[in-house]
Amino acid sequence: MRTTEEWQRLDSAHYLHPFTDHQALSAKGARIVTRAEGVYVYTSDGQKILDGMSGLWCVALGYGRQELCDAAYKQMMELPYYNSFFQSSTPPAIELARILDEVTPPQFGHVFFTGSGSEANDTLLRLVRRYWQLAGNPERNVIISRWNGYHGSTVAGASLGGMKPMHEQLGPDGAVPGIVHINQPYWFGEGGDLSPAEFGLKCARELEEKILEVGPERVAAFIGEPVQGAGGLVIPPETYWPEIQRIVDKYGILFASDEVICGFGRTGEWFGCEYFGTRPDFLTMAKALSSGYLPIGGLMVGDRVARMLIERGGEFFHGFTYSGHPAACAVAVANLEIFRRERVVERVKNEIAPYLASRWRELADHPLVGEARCLGLLAAIELVPDKRIRRFFEPRGEVGIFMRDACTRNGLVMRATRDTLFIAPPLVISRSEIDELLSKVVRSLDETAVHARAKGWL
Ligand code: PXG
């Protein structure tokens, strides 16, 4: 076995990481994660860390699940790979499609498999435009999305997403044309003097304003995450989604719920759209579909679009080598069987999310915390210099990074977006593990307050 230093040297010599400043990483050395069990990961130098982020929002059932590994092994021995092009299919892909029909809302009976969430959103973009061609309205090709939304990192994903730094790196002509953005429903950061309810309505009505600006006859679809994940765990006010649904219905545009993070129990319902009571035409999924054990994504296609594609579509010129990968599908089938057998979603809703909420609320009393919000097993705190006013630290973001690093030192993975700190732990986390998580958050907050005072930020 190599030493940590060897791993770090080789890592910075050869490995280009996603979303990483390589000079900074090289100066510091990567954290080398070597194994994991339950809700804990272990590093090459022996640190045990509570994984408050489920890997990257994906390891829903926790690490070390023998059944998932057995499913992969068994399937690889039997049929490690075959494609679903050219009129072929494989049992695991068919079985997974059948189970997804059962666990998704009633309008969904069909799925297109991909290797990731980004590919699923690529598929979405192509299918939305294909639908309107088939419907005889090819001029309907504009897709509306939100600033600071995240829909993946392929060109289509980055274009659909509203991450300005990603758009900048695509360059002026780099994004997929025909995608426009409206503001996000981020009340704490952008709500001004409005109440959350008023602000939710205002943001939702931006969709209608944008539709009228573009021209209703040109708008194809709207896409959004039920709760924005990577953008900083933006939980919309209660007024937001019902108003969006009203507008989508009024103009007859297609509606995609990007459930890559919110899907499979994260909110306490199977899908985030069910939590918020919306009726999308598409669900983008990935991550917890296989608990992250093997890469797989998918796009659930609602009856309105599926019927058009199947009955009038002819060939849809789209697909990936790994669409419906047998081993990935077999793991996803085993994953969803465990979800059902252990009643994972029900447990989140009735037991563990209410417990997390009761403990998370305590953080609101901390002097650094301007807001402590949570929904299901998603929870965030906003770090602020003066908790009486909704105003961020200057410079913004540094206190968040300090706090994130303090968490890691204290044995907790917590994610930071600017000065919003958040968690999305495995759905199987226990009460005592939540207690441990909270005590690590409080210790890290206290250390962050000391640091902020020393820096003169407080
Ligand atoms: N949609 C949403 C809502 C996502 O969160 C994707 C699409 C893309 O999925 P793939 O499998 O192509 O990565 C995601 C991915 C973060 C972070 O920093 C979040 C994601 C990926 C990487 C980092 O929180 N989400």
Side-chain angles (χ1 to χ4, degrees), residues 81 84-85 93 96-97 100 110-127 151-152 154 258 260 282-287 289-290 294-301 316 318-330 332:
Y81 177 78
S84 303
F85 291 51
L96 181 58
L100 286 171
H110 294 84
V111 61
F112 193 101
F113 287 122
T114 67
S116 68
S118 300
E119 288 175 6
N121 279 331
D122 258 69
T123 304
L124 166 76
L125 189 140
R126 284 150 72 63
L127 208 42
H151 298 300
T154 54
D258 186 336
V260 169
F282 299 97
L283 302 181
T284 314
M285 50 180 61
K287 295 193 189 273
L289 171 56
S290 64
L294 282 179
I296 179 167
L299 182 72
M300 293 305 297
V301 180
F316 179 41
H318 174 69
F320 305 102
T321 303
Y322 298 129
S323 289
H325 189 287
C329 289

Side-chain angles (χ1 to χ4, degrees), residues 61-262:
L61 294 185
Y63 299 95
R65 285 279 185 157
Q66 183 77 39
E67 254 181 278
L68 302 190
C69 309
D70 288 347
Y73 180 79
K74 187 163 166 283
Q75 185 58 46
M76 285 185 180
M77 290 302 289
E78 206 162 289
L79 178 72
Y81 177 78
Y82 201 74
N83 67 66
S84 303
F85 291 51
F86 318 131
Q87 309 195 336
S88 300
S89 197
T90 66
I94 299 168
E95 199 60 43
L96 181 58
R98 181 189 69 77
I99 296 175
L100 286 171
D101 169 35
E102 289 176 358
V103 301
T104 53
Q107 68 271 35
F108 294 106
H110 294 84
V111 61
F112 193 101
F113 287 122
T114 67
S116 68
S118 300
E119 288 175 6
N121 279 331
D122 258 69
T123 304
L124 166 76
L125 189 140
R126 284 150 72 63
L127 208 42
V128 160
R129 291 187 171 163
R130 181 74 187 129
Y131 171 84
W132 287 113
Q133 286 173 358
L134 292 169
N137 302 102
E139 67 289 350
R140 274 206 184 223
N141 70 347
V142 174
I143 300 176
I144 303 178
S145 175
R146 284 109 44 97
W147 290 120
N148 202 39
Y150 187 78
H151 298 300
S153 196
T154 54
V155 175
S159 307
L160 286 168
M163 298 289 180
K164 289 182 183 167
M166 292 176 81
H167 290 194
E168 277 160 26
Q169 289 189 359
L170 283 174
D173 301 318
V176 174
I179 298 171
V180 296
H181 297 81
I182 59 175
N183 284 312
Q184 57 177 343
Y186 177 29
W187 178 77
F188 187 85
E190 297 166 4
D193 296 334
L194 299 180
S195 70
E198 290 165 342
F199 183 67
L201 280 181
K202 176 174 178 287
C203 291
R205 286 180 185 155
E206 281 192 29
L207 175 60
E208 185 154 32
E209 288 159 25
K210 189 58 93 179
I211 291 171
L212 295 173
E213 181 191 317
V214 170
E217 70 293 347
R218 291 197 51 228
V219 178
F222 172 73
I223 180 171
E225 303 154 79
V227 173
Q228 280 156 260
L233 220 74
V234 177
I235 301 173
E238 280 175 13
T239 50
Y240 182 77
W241 282 115
E243 184 66 1
I244 291 279
Q245 183 70 54
R246 182 191 69 77
I247 296 166
V248 159
D249 289 343
K250 179 173 172 190
Y251 294 94
I253 65 177
L254 296 169
F255 171 21
S257 188
D258 186 336
E259 302 268 355
V260 169
I261 282 175
C262 291

Side-chain angles (χ1 to χ4, degrees), residues 298-320:
L299 182 72
M300 293 305 297
V301 180
D303 291 338
R304 171 180 172 193
V305 177
R307 221 176 303 120
M308 182 78 88
L309 186 76
I310 294 164
E311 290 169 12
R312 297 190 22 203
E315 183 171 350
F316 179 41
F317 298 109
H318 174 69
F320 305 102

